[in-house]
């Protein structure tokens, strides 16, 4: 082995060791425990695929997967549309307040999920109820008390938190679009919409790949906002997959079964992420 090769592996070793400790070893260990009756302390019996079969027959688990999927689709679409809109808004050259607006839009992302959940819980329950009492509009009353309002409450919270973060990603790509291309389009008489759709939008294809991946992964694994805002209620109808797994592990102390759910959840997210990246990367080439 050459000195160059030895140096390469020497500097790479800390990263490989770190990945093994925090990723590969826990993954293999978790896969083993998912096939046992592990209660967090000991393993009495090896169950094989029984936990997985049980998970696919668990109506609450399947319901949480469906609820999380619906939430993710709506939230991902809204976050990216709003994030892109905000990015276009704050990249206007003539506006001196762009930096202020960028800071204001990004600030919700700096607040922790638990705190955000309680903030919006106060808004939905107290502030909305006060508005409903003052105006007599029933729409503002009883928020978070039904599955439908709980769903939209979670969507609003997630979109409010993530839009500013996604905005920053789009801004970085918009700023890299050559000014000559925009100026040429303006000289040719292109409207603002034509300039966006024919020039800016295709140039933002790599940004869509990154933003979709980040919003997808964050939307599917959401837990703290779900806990603080609705706690899965009413009757676990707004319980997402992460909360279902945590409750199974720490409330019921059925950790082997919870680990099987976690493995299933990991596979689902991995498959969706790989499909999303492959589609958007192909779209980048086509554009």
């Amino acid at each position: 082995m050459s000195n160059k090769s030895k140096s390469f592996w020497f500097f790479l070793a800390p990263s490989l060791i770190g990945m093994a400790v925090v990723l590969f070893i826990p993954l293999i260990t978790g896969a083993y425990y998912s096939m046992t009756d592990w209660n967090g302390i000991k393993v009495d019996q090896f169950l094989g695929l029984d936990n997985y079969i049980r998970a696919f027959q668990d109506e609450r688990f399947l319901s949480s997967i469906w609820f999380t999927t619906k939430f993710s689709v709506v939230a991902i679409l809204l976050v990216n549309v709003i994030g892109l809109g905000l990015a276009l808004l704050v990249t206007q050259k003539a506006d001196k307040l762009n930096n202020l607006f960028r800071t204001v839009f990004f600030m919700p992302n700096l607040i922790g999920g638990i705190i955000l959940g309680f903030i919006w819980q106060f808004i939905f329950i107290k502030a909305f109820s006060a508005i409903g009492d003052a105006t007599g509009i029933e729409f503002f009353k009883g928020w978070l008390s039904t599955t439908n309002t709980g769903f939209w409450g979670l969507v609003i919270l997630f979109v409010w938190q993530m839009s500013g973060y996604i905005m920053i990603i789009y801004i970085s790509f918009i700023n890299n679009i050559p000014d000559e291309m925009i100026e040429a389009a303006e000289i040719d008489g292109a409207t603002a919409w034509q300039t966006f759709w024919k020039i800016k939008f295709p140039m933002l294809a790599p940004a869509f790949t990154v933003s979709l991946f980040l919003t997808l992964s964050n939307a599917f694994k959401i837990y703290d906002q779900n806990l603080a805002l609705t706690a899965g209620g009413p009757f676990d109808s707004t319980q997402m997959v992460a909360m279902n797994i945590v409750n199974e592990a720490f409330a019921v102390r059925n950790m082997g079964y919870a680990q099987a759910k976690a493995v299933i959840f990991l596979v689902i997210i991995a498959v969706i992420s790989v499909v999303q990246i492959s589609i958007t990367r192909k779209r980048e080439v086509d554009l």
Side-chain angles (χ1 to χ4, degrees), residues 60-74:
R60 288 191 174 183
F61 180 59
L62 297 178
S63 177
S64 68
I65 292 178
W66 175 238
F67 183 84
T68 305
T69 302
K70 291 190 297 182
F71 166 83
S72 299
V73 171
V74 175

Side-chain angles (χ1 to χ4, degrees), residues 73-235:
V73 171
V74 175
I76 289 169
L77 178 62
L78 290 177
V79 166
N80 281 277
V81 170
I82 295 174
L84 178 57
L86 294 176
L88 294 171
L89 177 65
V90 300
T91 50
Q92 301 298 318
K93 295 181 179 179
D95 197 337
K96 298 181 179 179
L97 297 177
N98 281 342
N99 289 334
L100 174 62
F101 288 142
R102 293 183 189 188
T103 302
V104 171
F105 294 146
F106 182 74
M107 283 180 62
N109 189 256
L110 302 177
I111 306 174
I114 290 288
I115 297 174
L116 275 180
F118 286 124
I119 290 173
W120 278 96
Q121 185 186 71
F122 174 83
I123 293 173
F124 288 134
I125 295 178
K126 299 295 183 180
F128 273 34
S129 295
I131 294 173
D133 293 336
T135 61
I137 301 175
E138 293 296 326
F139 172 79
F140 293 102
K141 298 180 179 180
W143 266 76
L144 306 184
S145 62
T146 67
T147 303
N148 189 46
T149 55
F151 171 84
W152 286 108
L154 287 165
V155 169
I156 292 171
L157 189 160
F158 185 80
V159 171
W160 190 73
Q161 181 183 27
M162 286 292 296
S163 294
Y165 179 72
I166 299 302
M167 173 196 70
I168 298 298
I169 296 174
Y170 285 124
I171 287 174
S172 65
F173 282 87
I174 290 174
N175 289 336
N176 286 328
I177 298 176
D179 293 334
E180 293 79 5
M181 297 180 65
I182 306 298
E183 292 173 358
E186 293 174 351
I187 293 172
D188 291 338
T191 64
W193 170 253
Q194 289 173 331
T195 302
F196 167 74
W197 187 249
K198 297 296 184 179
I199 298 177
K200 291 183 178 180
F201 189 79
M203 296 288 288
L204 290 174
F208 294 135
T209 300
V210 175
S211 299
L212 286 174
F213 175 78
L214 291 174
T215 49
L216 188 152
S217 58
N218 278 280
F220 265 92
K221 68 182 184 181
I222 184 173
Y223 172 74
D224 44 0
Q225 296 95 324
N226 190 196
L227 175 65
L229 190 65
T230 66
F235 305 108

Side-chain angles (χ1 to χ4, degrees), residues 256-268:
Y257 180 42
Q259 186 62 44
K261 291 182 178 182
V263 172
I264 294 172
F265 190 38
L266 171 64
V267 172
I268 292 173

